[in-house]
Amino acid sequence: MLLRNGKKILRLLIAVLAAVVVVLFVVSFNGMCRHGSCNNVIALNDGWSISFGGIHLPPMEHVSDFRVPSNIQPGDTIIYERDMRNDSIPLPTTLRFHAYHVAVAVYVDSVCYYRYGFERFKEGKLVGSGIHLVNMPEFLDDHVIRVVTIVTEKAAAKSVAQIELLRSNSMTDYFSQNSDSITIGIFLMFFGMIAFITGCCAVGFDRAYYRLVLIGLFAGLMGLWTLNYAKGIQIVSTNYALDTTLEYVSLYLAAIPFGLLIINMRAGKISTWKLNVLKVIVGFGALFFLVTTILHVTDIAHYPTFLLIYHSYIFVSFLFMVFFKVLYDRGAGMQEKILASGTVVFVLFGIADLFRYNVQNLFGMEKSFLDATCLPVGTLLFILFLMVGYLVYMYEELMDKTEKEVLRQIAYRDALTGIYNRAKCDHIFEVLNRDDSDYAIVSIDVNGLKYVNDHFGHSTGDKLLCAFADVFKNAFNGIGTTIRMGGDEFVAIVRAEHLSDLNTALKTMVLLEKEAKLPIELNVAYGYSVRRRGDAVTAMDVYRMADANMYAMKLASKQQRMA
């Protein structure tokens, strides 16, 4: 009982330590990201008048109060205009705003200072979304700013959430404000990459690492999605079309390893029909990604068009897993309970984020707490649970294999001498019979064991056998496998690479016999036989020949003593 409790405590300590390390990394990295933020930011959200479809709206208190009409179609134009004559901004600045799936042109009076996406839109390609930075002229307060946007994706356009002026074109303050999501995204990507590569390298040796491959793949995809969704990817890339493509690819693909992970976790623990439904769900996810990718690449319809379908698919999948109790059962082990708890946490965060995203789009709540996605936090918690559960899982696997190995070694060990026994010899013979290679078998018999047992007792005879076993093992150390067949019979098996050392080992054995400190003289008879590549003999045949040579030596030694 104490040993079992100790193992449980050790598993928990290992798991908790791993989780603490991850949390410390995220917190410390997040703290570093928050340093050095730029405070020279001027909010420019008020005073914008908006025109679209022949309608002209008067200046608004906040630009995000305007919601793009639901009947807007690709190719429709929306113009944001602001008179800067009532503001005092003498220095050169940079205009910054986040635009969603629109081609953008920025004018100061009638001069175009920035243009993006019009050519791609004409070619029917994805324009993408991102944070645009536009260098403005000096003394901006003498001019009128006009932002012209053309909607490029059906049901994908949103209002411009925030418009700002920067003293420089630095994005430091944005990355600082969004450091939580960016930090989590970076961590998930690196963790996923390491876990995926490690799992792929190890899965060939042990199928238990297949779960690590799925964990790594899911973590990496969610990390990539988080970085793209939070626009942290703009640290290294301002290709809005590519960044947006990666955002949707990672999101759509993430459902596949997640589903496979659930199947791997619950196989054999839930009814067959539930497992089959899970397989259908994963299959639909793979088919969905394949079809949407073909449509996207051929520019028939782009990834954003299918987002509502994807959300519905995820929501229905979550409902199935929760309603039919796919994730948990009372008889589950500790690691299964941890993994199930993490999955439930992720499912709850996923449902909450679906609700947030769709409510935000339907009712226009850009300035509320709904503006920030909670899914990265849910993903991080899920990965923490997965990592803790997987460590417990691997610990249990390791302990189980160690226990089996110990039992196997015990089964292969001679109880008296500690060297290998006849069962091990039989196993090696089977291996030798499958391999056409050179080897030698040495047969050894300890002389006088019966005499010692009869005159000095079996305990002295046992000491004699143990003394020879030590001599035998030391003489053939690194050269051959030493085995006690039973009674006074011993065998050494020498592989091809050590055949040249066989005579040296035998001479060493004879010298060590003479040095052994025993009340009686230690003396053995031995003989060996070598099997060469191509010989049509079995290992047992070679052993019998070695045994015959041993008895020939024994007989010769007896005749010599009688003479």
Side-chain angles (χ1 to χ4, degrees), residues 194-246:
I194 293 170
F196 179 75
I197 293 174
T198 303
C200 286
C201 293
V203 75
F205 302 97
D206 193 332
R207 287 182 59 84
Y209 288 97
Y210 171 65
R211 187 174 294 183
L212 184 61
V213 174
L214 296 177
I215 291 173
L217 189 57
F218 176 74
L221 289 170
M222 290 307 299
L224 182 61
W225 175 81
T226 301
L227 273 180
N228 279 282
Y229 186 85
K231 303 309 171 188
I233 196 70
Q234 289 194 208
I235 298 173
V236 295
S237 171
T238 55
N239 186 335
Y240 304 130
L242 175 61
D243 299 345
T244 302
T245 298
L246 290 176

Side-chain angles (χ1 to χ4, degrees), residues 137 157 174 204 221 361 366 368 431 474-475 507:
Y174 177 84
L221 289 170
N361 280 345
E366 296 285 350
S368 72
V431 175
N474 291 332
K507 290 177 181 178

